Amino acid sequence: MAARGGCCCGTGSWPRRKSREAAGPAGASRGRGRCERGPAGRWRRDRAAAAMFRCGEEVVSEETEEESNGVNLMEFSDEILLHILSYVPCTDLVLNVRRTCRKLATLCLDKSLTHTVLLQKDYKVDKDKVKQLMRDIGKEIYQLNMAGCYWLPSSTIDHVTRCKNLVKLNLSGCHVTSLRLSKMLSTLQHLRSLAIDVNPGFDASQLSSECKATLSRVSELKQTLYTPSYGVVPCCTSLEKLLLYFEILDRSREGFMLSGQLMVGESNVPHYQNLRIFYARLAPGYVNQEVVRLYLAVLSDRTPENLHAFLISAPGSFAETGATKNLLDSMARNVRLDALQLPKAWINGSGLLQHLKFNNPFYFSFSRCTLSGGHLIQRVINGGKDLKSLTSLNLSGCVHCLAPESLFRKAEDDIDSSILESLVVSCCNLRHLNLSAAHHHSSESIGNHLCQLLSRLKHLLSLALPVCSITDVAASVEKPPTTPNLVPQTFGRKVRIGIQTYPKNLGDPANQKIESSVFWALMGSLRFLETLEIIGSSFSSAMPRNEPAIRNSLPPCVRAQSVGDSEVAAISQLTYLQSLTLAQLPNILTGSGLVSIGLQCQHLRTLSLANLGMMGKVVYMSALMDMLKHCKCLRDLRLEQPYFCAGAQFFQALSHCSSLQRLCIVSRSGTLQSDAVMSFMANCLEVIMCHMFMGESLTVCKNLQQSIVRSFQAERPALNVVIFPLLHEDLTEVIRDVPMRHLDEITLFKSRVAEEPPNLWW
């Protein structure tokens, strides 16, 4: 059964074997299992959620108000009430709402609401609430997700032992020692799916025989490694799905180089004979590469016959060895895949794709590979083979993927529209497409622009494009980079900004020209798009993972010089947009298009803006503040812009975002006003993450960070505050202490479209 909020309707879901254990009790799907298909259905459910109960007092006041209008909410059918209650956090249901009246007391304990408990983003939950929750409904819980609950003490995990019927348990990001894990798993005999972290000090020899017996029945394991170790993998003899996240640093806090060799006593061999899905994601660093090779060594000896998904995401260079070559050769002979992702060095220059067999593929990732469009069509799509099963495709960084050959081609040359057309026709059911980090320049041929071809993909839910790919060819010719209206991407003389760059009068000829652009038409055709990323092909964040902050950025592509406010305004057509990323749009003059987005995209939850307009001044500040006043659903905001002034006016505008939970500002030479930050934190009660990497002194940053923690930590248990000079030499040491949930989801900039297969985990 799908977890709440993770609807698996339609294509692209992971093929799963049905089991009685995973299915849970009869009737567990009542109310929550039903879901309407598509964004329109989700929008209707969101409107129903507006009536949800947050606490007992709100229920009483709501009921009184409804009765005064002649409508009593309690007169609704049980099915409707259960649907509304499914949007209320489980802690509120059990600890507050069910105490209001007898009817709600019964409904709040319905199996459809207690079968799956999601605490992973319930930032208000504390150890006492978890303890009470487990005491009240522990025996009714079959799926428990506590991923990313970094603020809960490790003793909280002890209460999970009350959930005797647990089938799925996610503890990623939680503090769990090997002894506590052993005690907990010894009591969970029905467990079939587990997600944990393996931290320094983990000792598999401390696991009891009862714990190992439970692990032997686990078929799905997600393991995040912060130290070289096999973790619990050797104990899981029935594994069908294995997800590995390697987050091991090359150096210890003391500065010592770490080794990729496993600790003594961890030489047990993993059991992969039943494996169907293997996924590994590596953070930068050679130690992560050494450790993952140890996991792969067993696969190279004997490839599982039922393997249908093999995915390895590795940044930078990850060289192929004799063992990995044997593994890939064995896969080519013995298995048929549905999902594939390999390091670029394993694909570049090899004929691997020509020999691999595919069944009904739903996910491909060739990120950063030198794969040409000719090879893509011939070897993957098989000359236009029907690939209606493919729902997610990642071609980010594939600079030649839309060109017939890559041998004599420059990265800035025009694309071959026939290749993209073949891709669109063959993969007509794509829902997630990533074409970022490359120069995809369309030719002047009528009807063959990239935006025009992509408009045929009516099922797209998420899309990532380079800035230079959305410009009209005619416009880029008419408006060269030397035009006086262009804002230079330098730190030179400031340009005085005047009125908005696109007219508001619909009858204005200039406005009609804007609305006839290929990008405007693309946005109009993708009405149900939920995630959009427009990122400059040469953009790089000032804050990489394990390196000092980048001081200089590369100039934008010449074709991107004409992309500005009017293109941003076109995005406002996306009524159901939930996540928006804009990076390195050089021709932003006022940011007027942002206001249109704030007014029209009322479901926007995540906003990331980086290096818009001229680099010496934040030219869009006024428009951004106007936009924020309308973003009532915004939860995550990330801003990266040199010379950003986080002052009183900005934070006053940001205070209108009543749902805001996480804020990250990255600004070289940026400034902040401590009093304004404190006032903002006091007004926005939902904010639990505040990361600012600015140009202020270390003393100013430390004092502000301590003041925020001292003032708000007690009432916000999940509060995470990092305020630090961006160019300080100790920045990497500070970043390593940031909870992985925040670091991966918002603090570090990256393209997230088709980053992983859909429904990879919960």
Side-chain angles (χ1 to χ4, degrees), residues 502-649:
Y502 73 98
K504 291 185 176 181
N505 183 6
L506 295 179
D508 194 304
N511 195 55
Q512 296 176 1
K513 182 177 180 181
I514 291 172
E515 294 188 2
S516 64
S517 69
V518 290
F519 184 65
W520 189 284
L522 174 64
M523 294 295 95
S525 65
L526 303 179
R527 293 290 186 175
F528 295 132
L529 202 68
E530 297 176 354
T531 299
L532 177 64
E533 297 177 353
I534 306 295
I535 304 173
S537 52
S538 57
F539 173 77
S540 58
S541 174
M543 226 177 75
R545 178 69 184 274
N546 295 328
E547 305 167 10
I550 296 176
R551 297 173 182 268
N552 298 312
S553 58
L554 296 174
C557 172
V558 175
R559 286 279 188 103
Q561 299 286 5
S562 61
V563 177
D565 295 310
S566 58
E567 284 75 17
V568 174
I571 299 173
S572 63
Q573 300 175 87
L574 303 176
T575 307
Y576 302 109
L577 188 67
Q578 296 183 18
S579 177
L580 174 63
T581 298
L582 301 175
Q584 202 181 38
L585 276 66
N587 201 33
I588 295 293
L589 300 180
T590 64
S592 52
L594 295 174
V595 182
S596 298
I597 294 175
L599 288 169
Q600 302 298 326
C601 305
Q602 288 294 300
H603 297 282
L604 191 65
R605 296 185 176 187
T606 300
L607 177 64
S608 177
L609 305 177
N611 291 9
L612 303 185
M614 63 186 299
M615 298 292 286
K617 181 181 179 181
V618 187
V619 297
Y620 60 92
M621 178 62 87
S622 178
L624 174 62
M625 291 189 294
D626 287 341
M627 174 194 189
L628 293 175
K629 295 176 183 178
H630 306 289
C631 297
K632 303 301 182 183
C633 294
L634 191 66
R635 295 183 180 180
D636 296 338
L637 174 62
R638 186 187 191 277
L639 299 172
E640 181 170 342
Q641 188 82 27
Y643 299 97
F644 190 89
C645 177
Q649 288 185 327

Side-chain angles (χ1 to χ4, degrees), residues 202-256:
F202 180 87
D203 187 357
S205 65
Q206 295 179 339
L207 303 179
S208 66
S209 57
E210 293 83 1
C211 170
K212 293 180 179 179
T214 297
L215 289 171
S216 67
R217 294 185 289 268
V218 168
S219 59
E220 299 179 358
L221 176 65
K222 177 183 177 183
Q223 192 169 255
T224 304
L225 295 154
Y226 295 94
T227 187
S229 172
Y230 274 136
V232 300
V233 171
C235 302
C236 302
T237 57
S238 303
L239 276 181
E240 296 182 9
K241 176 191 286 190
L242 177 60
L243 276 58
L244 299 169
Y245 293 77
F246 295 87
E247 298 290 342
I248 311 167
L249 297 175
D250 291 344
R251 291 180 179 271
S252 65
R253 293 183 181 274
E254 295 76 21
F256 298 113

Side-chain angles (χ1 to χ4, degrees), residues 271-290:
H271 299 269
Y272 294 149
Q273 60 268 23
N274 298 319
L275 203 62
R276 302 172 61 241
I277 299 169
F278 180 90
Y279 176 86
R281 193 187 78 176
L282 285 67
Y286 75 96
V287 175
N288 290 314
Q289 296 184 9
E290 287 187 13

Side-chain angles (χ1 to χ4, degrees), residues 394-436:
N394 190 344
L395 295 173
S396 63
C398 293
V399 296
H400 304 297
C401 67
L402 299 181
E405 297 295 338
S406 60
L407 188 58
F408 301 105
R409 180 182 184 270
K410 295 180 180 179
E412 299 82 5
D413 290 345
D414 290 347
I415 64 173
D416 185 336
S417 59
S418 64
I419 292 177
L420 180 58
E421 185 172 16
S422 297
L423 185 67
V424 168
V425 172
S426 300
C427 311
C428 57
N429 288 324
L430 275 178
R431 298 192 174 197
H432 314 280
L433 176 61
N434 194 329
L435 295 172
S436 64

Side-chain angles (χ1 to χ4, degrees), residues 83 127 375 472 729:
H83 184 75
K127 60 179 181 180
H375 290 165
D472 281 287
E729 59 183 2

